[in-house]
Amino acid sequence: MNLTRLLAAAAASAAGLGLLAYTSAASLAYHPEDGARLRLSWSARPERIEKCRQLSAEEQAQREEHMRQRVECEGGFASYALRVEVDDRSIGETVFRGGGLRHDRPMHVLRDFPVPAGEHRVRVRVTRRETTDDDAAAFAQPVVPDADTGLFAGRAQREAAERARSARAAIPPALLLDTTFRFTPRQVALVSFDAERRVLVLHGRGGETAGRPR
Amino acid sequence: MRLLKRWFRGVLAGLDAVLNRVYGWERNPIHQAGTVAVAMLLVLLGTGLYLVLYYRVGAPAASVARLAADPWLGGWMRTLHRYGSDLFVIAAALHAFRMFAQDRSWGPRTLAWVSGLSLFAAGLICAWTGFVMAWDSFGERLALEGARLFDVLPLFSEPLSRIFAGDGPVPSAFFFVNLFIHIALPLGLGIGLWLHVSRLARPALLPPRRLLWAIIGLLTLASVLLPAPLGPAADPLRLAPSTPTDLVVAWWLPLSERLPAGAAWSAGLLLSLLALLVPRFTRHPREARWAPSTVDPRLCTGCNQCPQDCPWEAITMVGRDDGSPTLVAAVNASRCVSCGICAGSCAPMGVGPTGRTGRDQLTGLREVTLPALARGGAVPTIAICCAQAPAAHRAALQARGAHVHLVSCIGNLHSSVIEFFLRSGAPGVMVGGCPPRDCSSREGPRWLRQRLLNGREAELQSRVDRRRVGLATLAPGALAETVAAFERFTRQLPAAPVPEPESNPDLDTECEPVPLEEAAK
């Protein structure tokens, strides 16, 4: 290899490596605007909307002992309307429901809404779409401790506890977060559902703001 | 497809010409692209083993930032790992590009093509997980895009994207699974590589040693001088205006982000399907130029040379069914790529693709080439050229008075053809082939050299005056070298007297049958 070729090879190698280093870390625009985001993110179980009826003593007697439920319910799972407003202007409306073919799995919400930086009134409203007067809660019967005996002793208490647990795990029929928030440029403000307090919560850099069940 | 292939071939020839001029064809790195990719896998393995010792799934961003800040070893090891992955992708893409352009992507090479694509895809996925491991703004961007794409598939009960929403820390289980994929995939790459070369005899897995160390040395130097930047740690509650993006491994990212997830999947699947179907689109009928080799059992002496020379392990020696005590060659047509190297390896001219066996080559000379040359007066100097050699080189040789005789590959050339030309009055024969690492038949120049100069079986007979036989490499971009080699060759020819032409030379090329017991040794 003569000197000219050696120099050319060295220059070409340097150029190639420089190009490799450049393309390996090229600055690629991601969120070039200075705005902010309002992000809604939560998982919650939908309510079960049921038509319930009390079984008569005759009906129960016809069933096997282990099938003798006092209240029989049929129904499906609720769907919810979500409405997001910033400064009293709607920026997003959608309907969400539980996952799975029967919509009996938890609902997962993940939506981003661009918001200009600055102070804004934020209102997030979640409303159950189905209405019902005679849901399972209406049929909640006072627990009679000794109603079941033998192998099935305590079933009434367990049924009542299960209903209460399901009702607690489900999202309330209506939720509202109504607050004023200062969005800094490029900030993502997160609205999530606090399952313990059963409210929507907005998390910002300086802390959090809770909404309330309506 | 033919047009595309021609265009690709033009681009490749241009690229080869530039690099041959700069580095010389012996060191042209893109002739070695496949082996460079394998070498980069080894570099990735070595540097990866070091990096994984310091990686913490519980604190991914902090552990990588600590590595990047280490001025002694960690910093440049991380960059070398990154540059190595980039070079792997570039080299693998160039290798595939060459295979496609040179019509080496169909028929018996289908397994290599498909396994090669799988290796490439696995390499990209591995790089993807590697960047996510670093958990900087670019890693987060890749993770979000991956989650967005996977969320449209009915695979997970909860959308993956919620992991990165910011309402809780990203679980370390995610980084553990990511790390597992990043480490498990290279193990799969090993199996894929074995499949990729499983149909090759003597696969070349690494570039020549000097080139290998030059590439590793230069990459290490670049890693020290130009460390790859690490973006700010991922923050789901902060929008990054830009990310330091590795466009070599994430070239698809800007496009994918602009498409709805379903469309991105469709485009990716369509592209993959098209790439996988290349062997179907580029295949040729197995006839004429693409006819597989056949064996004439009457001529086969059982010498076992063609199975040794075949670069595709397409020939085996089997027992004869006529009770004769010698073995006979048998060609597995599904493995034969019609390179014709077996024809050049067979002294008695009993094997080769139809129309290109040693006998066919001599018949062509006797009946067509030599009569035509004789009509023009004295037989000129002959330049036997590979048909894949650049047209400009062939034209230049012709312009300097040579008669250009084309063969499909110089490995296909039977040494008797050279002797035949010389005994017919040609003052000299120069054989010009492709650069050895760019031979589409893999080992044509290597075997020809050994047959002409080192006495490999089917050798050029000792009675042939070696001063009248020359060898040259016709590399794109090295026309001046080709012309100089030819002029050097012709200058030295007058020193040796031209023998009297024979009107119909009878070549004693057949060798004795090899007894079965001897062949078995």
Side-chain angles (χ1 to χ4, degrees), chain B residues 138-158:
Chain B
F138 178 51
E140 183 188 30
R141 186 176 184 173
L142 280 174
L144 281 172
E145 183 59 12
R148 186 182 76 96
L149 293 176
F150 275 100
D151 281 345
V152 296
L153 305 178
L155 292 178
F156 303 102
S157 60
E158 184 170 354

Short mmCIF file of all heavy atoms in Angstrom, two decimals, chain B residues 138-158:
data_model
loop_
_atom_site.label_atom_id
_atom_site.label_comp_id
_atom_site.label_asym_id
_atom_site.label_seq_id
_atom_site.Cartn_x
_atom_site.Cartn_y
_atom_site.Cartn_z
N PHE B 138 -33.93 8.21 24.97
CA PHE B 138 -34.09 7.41 23.74
C PHE B 138 -34.63 6.02 24.08
O PHE B 138 -35.50 5.49 23.37
CB PHE B 138 -32.74 7.31 23.02
CG PHE B 138 -32.79 6.46 21.78
CD1 PHE B 138 -33.75 6.67 20.80
CD2 PHE B 138 -31.87 5.43 21.59
CE1 PHE B 138 -33.79 5.87 19.66
CE2 PHE B 138 -31.90 4.65 20.45
CZ PHE B 138 -32.87 4.86 19.49
N GLY B 139 -34.13 5.44 25.17
CA GLY B 139 -34.63 4.13 25.60
C GLY B 139 -36.11 4.21 25.92
O GLY B 139 -36.89 3.31 25.56
N GLU B 140 -36.51 5.29 26.58
CA GLU B 140 -37.92 5.47 26.92
C GLU B 140 -38.76 5.61 25.65
O GLU B 140 -39.85 5.04 25.53
CB GLU B 140 -38.07 6.72 27.78
CG GLU B 140 -39.49 6.95 28.24
CD GLU B 140 -39.67 8.30 28.92
OE1 GLU B 140 -38.93 9.25 28.58
OE2 GLU B 140 -40.53 8.41 29.80
N ARG B 141 -38.20 6.34 24.68
CA ARG B 141 -38.92 6.54 23.41
C ARG B 141 -39.14 5.21 22.70
O ARG B 141 -40.23 4.93 22.19
CB ARG B 141 -38.09 7.49 22.54
CG ARG B 141 -38.76 7.91 21.27
CD ARG B 141 -37.92 8.92 20.54
NE ARG B 141 -38.59 9.41 19.36
CZ ARG B 141 -38.15 10.40 18.60
NH1 ARG B 141 -37.03 11.01 18.91
NH2 ARG B 141 -38.81 10.79 17.54
N LEU B 142 -38.10 4.38 22.70
CA LEU B 142 -38.22 3.07 22.07
C LEU B 142 -39.21 2.19 22.83
O LEU B 142 -40.00 1.45 22.22
CB LEU B 142 -36.85 2.37 22.03
CG LEU B 142 -35.90 2.81 20.93
CD1 LEU B 142 -34.55 2.14 21.13
CD2 LEU B 142 -36.45 2.44 19.56
N ALA B 143 -39.16 2.26 24.17
CA ALA B 143 -40.06 1.44 24.97
C ALA B 143 -41.51 1.86 24.72
O ALA B 143 -42.39 1.01 24.57
CB ALA B 143 -39.71 1.59 26.44
N LEU B 144 -41.74 3.17 24.65
CA LEU B 144 -43.10 3.67 24.42
C LEU B 144 -43.62 3.23 23.06
O LEU B 144 -44.77 2.82 22.92
CB LEU B 144 -43.12 5.19 24.51
CG LEU B 144 -43.13 5.76 25.93
CD1 LEU B 144 -42.96 7.26 25.89
CD2 LEU B 144 -44.44 5.40 26.62
N GLU B 145 -42.73 3.31 22.06
CA GLU B 145 -43.15 2.92 20.71
C GLU B 145 -43.44 1.42 20.67
O GLU B 145 -44.42 0.98 20.06
CB GLU B 145 -42.07 3.32 19.69
CG GLU B 145 -42.42 3.03 18.24
CD GLU B 145 -43.71 3.72 17.77
OE1 GLU B 145 -44.21 4.61 18.47
OE2 GLU B 145 -44.21 3.33 16.70
N GLY B 146 -42.58 0.65 21.31
CA GLY B 146 -42.81 -0.80 21.37
C GLY B 146 -44.11 -1.12 22.06
O GLY B 146 -44.90 -1.94 21.59
N ALA B 147 -44.37 -0.43 23.18
CA ALA B 147 -45.62 -0.67 23.93
C ALA B 147 -46.82 -0.29 23.08
O ALA B 147 -47.82 -1.01 23.04
CB ALA B 147 -45.59 0.13 25.22
N ARG B 148 -46.69 0.83 22.38
CA ARG B 148 -47.81 1.27 21.53
C ARG B 148 -48.12 0.22 20.46
O ARG B 148 -49.27 -0.09 20.19
CB ARG B 148 -47.44 2.61 20.86
CG ARG B 148 -48.55 3.25 20.07
CD ARG B 148 -48.06 4.53 19.41
NE ARG B 148 -47.24 4.29 18.25
CZ ARG B 148 -47.68 4.27 16.98
NH1 ARG B 148 -48.95 4.48 16.75
NH2 ARG B 148 -46.86 4.05 15.98
N LEU B 149 -47.04 -0.33 19.88
CA LEU B 149 -47.24 -1.33 18.83
C LEU B 149 -47.84 -2.61 19.40
O LEU B 149 -48.72 -3.22 18.80
CB LEU B 149 -45.91 -1.64 18.14
CG LEU B 149 -45.30 -0.49 17.32
CD1 LEU B 149 -43.94 -0.88 16.76
CD2 LEU B 149 -46.22 -0.09 16.18
N PHE B 150 -47.36 -3.02 20.58
CA PHE B 150 -47.85 -4.28 21.14
C PHE B 150 -49.26 -4.15 21.70
O PHE B 150 -49.98 -5.15 21.79
CB PHE B 150 -46.88 -4.81 22.21
CG PHE B 150 -45.77 -5.60 21.61
CD1 PHE B 150 -44.52 -5.05 21.40
CD2 PHE B 150 -45.98 -6.92 21.19
CE1 PHE B 150 -43.51 -5.77 20.81
CE2 PHE B 150 -44.98 -7.65 20.60
CZ PHE B 150 -43.73 -7.08 20.42
N ASP B 151 -49.64 -2.93 22.06
CA ASP B 151 -50.96 -2.76 22.67
C ASP B 151 -52.10 -3.00 21.69
O ASP B 151 -53.24 -3.21 22.12
CB ASP B 151 -51.08 -1.36 23.30
CG ASP B 151 -50.39 -1.31 24.64
OD1 ASP B 151 -50.09 -2.40 25.19
OD2 ASP B 151 -50.12 -0.21 25.14
N VAL B 152 -51.82 -2.95 20.39
CA VAL B 152 -52.92 -3.23 19.46
C VAL B 152 -53.10 -4.73 19.25
O VAL B 152 -54.07 -5.16 18.64
CB VAL B 152 -52.72 -2.55 18.07
CG1 VAL B 152 -52.74 -1.06 18.20
CG2 VAL B 152 -51.48 -3.05 17.37
N LEU B 153 -52.16 -5.50 19.74
CA LEU B 153 -52.28 -6.96 19.60
C LEU B 153 -52.99 -7.52 20.84
O LEU B 153 -52.78 -7.04 21.94
CB LEU B 153 -50.90 -7.60 19.47
CG LEU B 153 -50.01 -7.07 18.34
CD1 LEU B 153 -48.67 -7.78 18.36
CD2 LEU B 153 -50.69 -7.29 17.00
N PRO B 154 -53.81 -8.53 20.64
CA PRO B 154 -54.53 -9.09 21.79
C PRO B 154 -53.63 -10.03 22.60
O PRO B 154 -53.88 -11.23 22.70
CB PRO B 154 -55.69 -9.84 21.13
CG PRO B 154 -55.18 -10.21 19.79
CD PRO B 154 -54.18 -9.19 19.39
N LEU B 155 -52.56 -9.48 23.15
CA LEU B 155 -51.59 -10.32 23.86
C LEU B 155 -51.63 -10.12 25.37
O LEU B 155 -51.54 -11.07 26.13
CB LEU B 155 -50.17 -10.01 23.36
CG LEU B 155 -49.83 -10.40 21.94
CD1 LEU B 155 -48.40 -9.97 21.61
CD2 LEU B 155 -49.96 -11.91 21.75
N PHE B 156 -51.78 -8.87 25.78
CA PHE B 156 -51.68 -8.57 27.21
C PHE B 156 -53.02 -8.08 27.74
O PHE B 156 -53.72 -7.33 27.06
CB PHE B 156 -50.60 -7.50 27.44
CG PHE B 156 -49.26 -7.89 26.89
CD1 PHE B 156 -48.80 -7.37 25.70
CD2 PHE B 156 -48.47 -8.82 27.57
CE1 PHE B 156 -47.57 -7.75 25.18
CE2 PHE B 156 -47.24 -9.19 27.06
CZ PHE B 156 -46.79 -8.66 25.87
N SER B 157 -53.32 -8.50 28.98
CA SER B 157 -54.61 -8.10 29.55
C SER B 157 -54.61 -6.60 29.87
O SER B 157 -55.63 -5.94 29.80
CB SER B 157 -54.91 -8.91 30.80
OG SER B 157 -53.89 -8.70 31.75
N GLU B 158 -53.45 -6.08 30.22
CA GLU B 158 -53.36 -4.65 30.53
C GLU B 158 -52.43 -4.00 29.51
O GLU B 158 -51.40 -4.58 29.17
CB GLU B 158 -52.78 -4.46 31.93
CG GLU B 158 -52.73 -3.02 32.37
CD GLU B 158 -52.37 -2.86 33.84
OE1 GLU B 158 -52.28 -3.88 34.54
OE2 GLU B 158 -52.17 -1.73 34.27
#
